[in-house]
């Protein structure tokens, strides 16, 4: 089946907000075997929106439309879709009751225009919105399926996962099952080269690569009559990928992030962690602290942006900074040592680099970053060269630091185990 993604909103068209809904929906559709050939963004204009809908109805089986379901006059999606499909709008009493309850719980007076959200195209399937006031709707018409969803991601995502995705799966013969193998510490081009033979020979299952900042995700997808059969098809491919990438595979679970994998590794080994950051300015600590349960392992986060703070907080000697410069493997190592001494943690990470756009030189260009990881006295130092904007370099540095933390912890226990056996 083919799907077309239509995002409604002048604020998206003008670039005032980033269209994360389209990226999310496209990825989810690919995971369940829907082919997406077109995406559109259209402003809050009835004539242009109707034209986009009519064109999409001629070339796609499913239209996923987000935005424009609110209470204001410029929220025209539902009205325009009903017009395009020759449906009239009727009052949906359960939605009206849900809107009334929503406002009562918040202690907010309901304005008259909010009842507009309870009007739905005749004959549609209404989807409850557990996180807002505008319900979703599915309109079935002559073999086409038009799905209308609210624009805010905190409303759209749960609605799609709990109601829309199961509906879309029900439209297809058999089932689609996917499992993702997440790889860190290996570049995208190398990953592709390592699995080129599998990609060249693929049929069912298929393997798709998705490059992320500092990592690569490999999605193995199979179609079969039932879930058990689909899982059976996927299993040997996942095993093969894990064999090829070894310890670079940090999870095969969709909901596990790189930072969660690192925190889980710390928890499993009863290790504490402290971070010390220069160019990343606390971004590594922030990613770690995003993980529930991290309070069991996270001790201290230092931001030592200036040389003075490196000396004062970490005990780094002025002579070392003058000899090597703040951006150097020696100082990254000293930062990790200082964090271990003063932060009293088992694992410490130091990051120093040139994030740009200024401050680079021929010897130390923008994008040069050194990361040191100290695990119980065993220290690894990594030199990285990143491109892109200042923010991109900082984000890449954090991902590389998480990857190095994981590698260093695994290497430490590998050496301890090997040494014990000897």
């Amino acid at each position: 089946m083919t799907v077309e993604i239509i995002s409604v909103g002048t604020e998206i068209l003008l670039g005032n907000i980033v269209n994360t809904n389209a990226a999310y929906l496209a990825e989810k559709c690919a995971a369940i075997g829907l082919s997406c050939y077109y995406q559109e963004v259209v402003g809050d204009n009835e004539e242009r929106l109707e034209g986009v809908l009519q064109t999409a109805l001629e070339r796609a089986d499913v239209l996923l439309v987000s935005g424009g379901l609110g209470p204001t006059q410029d929220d025209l999606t539902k009205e325009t879709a009903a017009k395009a499909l020759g449906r009239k709008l009727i009052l949906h009493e359960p939605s009206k009751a849900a809107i009334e309850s929503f406002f009562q719980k918040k202690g907010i007076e309901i304005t008259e225009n909010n009842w507009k959200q309870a009007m739905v195209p005749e004959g549609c399937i209404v989807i409850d919105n557990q996180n807002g006031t505008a319900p979703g709707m599915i309109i079935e018409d002559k073999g086409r399926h038009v799905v209308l969803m609210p624009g805010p991601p905190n409303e759209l995502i749960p609605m799609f996962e709990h109601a829309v995705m199961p509906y879309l799966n029900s439209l297809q013969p058999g089932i689609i099952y996917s499992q993702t193998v997440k790889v860190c510490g290996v570049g995208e081009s190398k990953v592709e080269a390592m699995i080129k033979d599998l990609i060249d020979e693929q049929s069912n299952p298929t393997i798709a690569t998705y490059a992320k900042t500092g990592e690569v995700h490999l999605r193995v997808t199979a179609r079969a009559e039932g879930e058990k059969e689909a899982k059976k098809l996927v299993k040997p491919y996942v095993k093969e990928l894990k064999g090829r990438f070894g310890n670079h595979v940090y999870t095969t679970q969709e909901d596990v992030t790189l930072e969660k994998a690192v925190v889980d590794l710390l928890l499993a080994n009863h290790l504490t962690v402290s971070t010390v950051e220069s160019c990343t300015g606390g971004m590594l600590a922030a990613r770690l602290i995003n993980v529930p349960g991290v309070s069991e392992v996270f001790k201290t986060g230092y931001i030592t942006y200036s040389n003075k703070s490196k000396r004062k907080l970490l005990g780094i000697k002025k002579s070392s900074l003058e000899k090597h410069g703040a951006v150097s493997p020696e100082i990254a190592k000293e930062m990790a040592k200082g964090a271990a001494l003063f932060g009293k943690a088992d694992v410490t990470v130091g990051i120093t680099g040139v994030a740009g756009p200024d401050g680079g030189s021929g010897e130390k260009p923008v994008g040069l970053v050194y990361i040191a990881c100290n695990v119980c006295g065993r220290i690894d130092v990594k030199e990285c060269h990143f491109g892109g904007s200042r923010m991109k370099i900082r984000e890449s540095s954090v991902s590389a630091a998480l990857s190095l933390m994981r590698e260093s912890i695994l290497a430490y226990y590998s050496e301890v185990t090997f040494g014990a056996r000897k």
Side-chain angles (χ1 to χ4, degrees):
M1 294 183 71
T2 60
V3 62
E4 194 149 333
I5 297 170
I6 301 170
S7 305
V8 182
T10 302
E11 69 278 10
I12 303 174
L13 198 62
L14 297 178
N16 298 137
I17 63 172
V18 178
N19 190 5
T20 57
N21 284 345
Y24 167 80
L25 292 171
E27 187 171 8
K28 289 297 181 181
C29 286
I32 61 175
L34 292 172
S35 300
C36 181
Y37 299 137
Y38 299 95
Q39 294 183 18
E40 287 83 36
V41 176
V42 60
D44 301 302
N45 178 278
E46 182 179 359
E47 183 180 350
R48 288 190 285 273
L49 175 55
E50 185 177 3
V52 167
L53 291 171
Q54 293 289 7
T55 300
L57 286 166
E58 292 174 3
R59 63 190 181 192
D61 302 305
V62 177
L63 278 59
L64 295 180
V65 188
S66 64
L69 298 182
T72 62
Q73 287 187 346
D74 62 349
D75 288 312
L76 300 165
T77 300
K78 172 177 53 186
E79 292 79 1
T80 308
K83 181 181 176 183
L85 295 167
R87 305 287 182 97
K88 64 180 181 179
L89 295 176
I90 60 172
L91 178 65
H92 186 247
E93 291 289 353
S95 292
K96 183 180 180 182
I99 292 168
E100 186 173 18
S101 175
F102 183 91
F103 279 95
Q104 285 178 346
K105 286 179 181 178
K106 291 185 174 290
I108 302 173
E109 183 181 353
I110 305 174
T111 56
E112 192 64 29
N113 58 353
N114 277 289
W115 301 125
K116 171 178 181 284
Q117 296 172 104
M119 302 297 291
V120 303
E122 189 175 25
C124 76
I125 301 169
V126 180
I127 308 171
D128 291 338
N129 185 347
Q130 301 297 324
N131 299 281
T133 53
M137 288 146 269
I138 300 173
I139 311 169
E140 298 174 330
D141 189 86
K142 299 175 182 176
R144 299 291 186 263
H145 310 267
V146 181
V147 183
L148 309 180
M149 295 171 286
N154 68 311
E155 298 179 33
L156 178 142
I157 292 173
M159 182 180 289
F160 185 85
E161 303 227 343
H162 297 141
V164 177
M165 190 154 63
Y167 172 80
L168 296 177
N169 267 325
S170 72
L171 301 177
Q172 303 185 88
I175 68 108
I176 296 288
Y177 175 77
S178 294
Q179 189 169 0
T180 301
V181 178
K182 298 184 180 181
V183 176
C184 65
V186 184
E188 180 187 9
S189 57
K190 186 174 180 181
V191 167
E192 185 176 357
M194 290 176 68
I195 61 169
K196 188 176 185 302
D197 59 317
L198 297 177
I199 292 175
D200 288 344
E201 297 170 5
Q202 68 182 348
S203 56
N204 185 29
T206 60
I207 301 175
T209 60
Y210 301 90
K212 310 287 183 179
T213 300
E215 51 186 296
V216 181
H217 296 181
L218 305 171
R219 179 175 287 125
V220 184
T221 303
R223 182 187 292 275
E225 290 185 6
E227 184 174 342
K228 185 177 180 180
E229 184 182 348
K231 285 182 176 180
K232 189 175 179 181
L233 290 169
V234 166
K235 187 176 180 179
Y237 281 81
V238 171
K239 183 179 180 180
E240 178 66 22
L241 292 172
K242 290 171 73 174
R244 294 192 185 194
F245 292 103
N247 281 338
H248 292 292
V249 175
Y250 71 84
T251 189
T252 57
Q253 298 177 46
E254 189 66 41
D255 61 345
V256 174
T257 61
L258 180 53
E259 53 266 36
K260 177 170 170 50
V262 170
V263 170
D264 287 346
L265 193 58
L266 292 166
L267 287 166
N269 291 287
H270 308 288
L271 297 171
T272 56
V273 63
S274 288
T275 60
V276 52
E277 305 175 62
S278 182
C279 62
T280 49
M283 290 173 68
L284 173 60
R287 276 188 66 174
L288 289 169
I289 291 169
N290 275 339
V291 180
V294 74
S295 57
E296 296 292 322
V297 296
F298 191 88
K299 297 197 74 173
T300 311
Y302 298 94
I303 301 175
T304 56
Y305 202 75
S306 68
N307 284 352
K308 184 177 180 180
S309 65
K310 290 178 177 68
R311 298 197 308 270
K312 183 178 179 180
L313 296 175
L314 303 173
I316 296 175
K317 294 180 180 179
K318 185 177 181 180
S319 57
S320 295
L321 287 162
E322 291 175 345
K323 180 179 180 180
H324 303 293
V327 180
S328 62
E330 292 83 3
I331 296 304
K333 188 175 181 179
E334 289 300 314
M335 289 168 70
K337 283 184 175 180
L341 178 63
F342 294 100
K344 301 186 185 304
D346 303 309
V347 179
T348 55
V349 186
I351 306 175
T352 180
V354 186
D358 304 316
S361 66
E363 184 181 351
K364 296 181 180 181
V366 170
L368 173 64
V369 178
Y370 291 101
I371 306 168
C373 183
N374 178 1
V375 181
C376 302
R378 180 190 181 279
I379 301 179
D380 293 309
V381 182
K382 185 174 183 179
E383 178 180 319
C384 305
H385 295 267
F386 300 118
S389 66
R390 179 180 179 85
M391 181 56 73
K392 183 67 175 177
I393 289 169
R394 296 172 69 213
E395 289 173 345
S396 298
S397 300
V398 171
S399 293
L402 289 167
S403 181
L404 181 61
M405 287 174 69
R406 186 175 170 278
E407 290 173 18
S408 296
I409 295 168
L410 292 173
Y412 172 79
Y413 282 103
S414 177
E415 289 179 8
V416 168
T417 302
F418 181 73
R421 286 176 180 171
K422 287 180 69 178

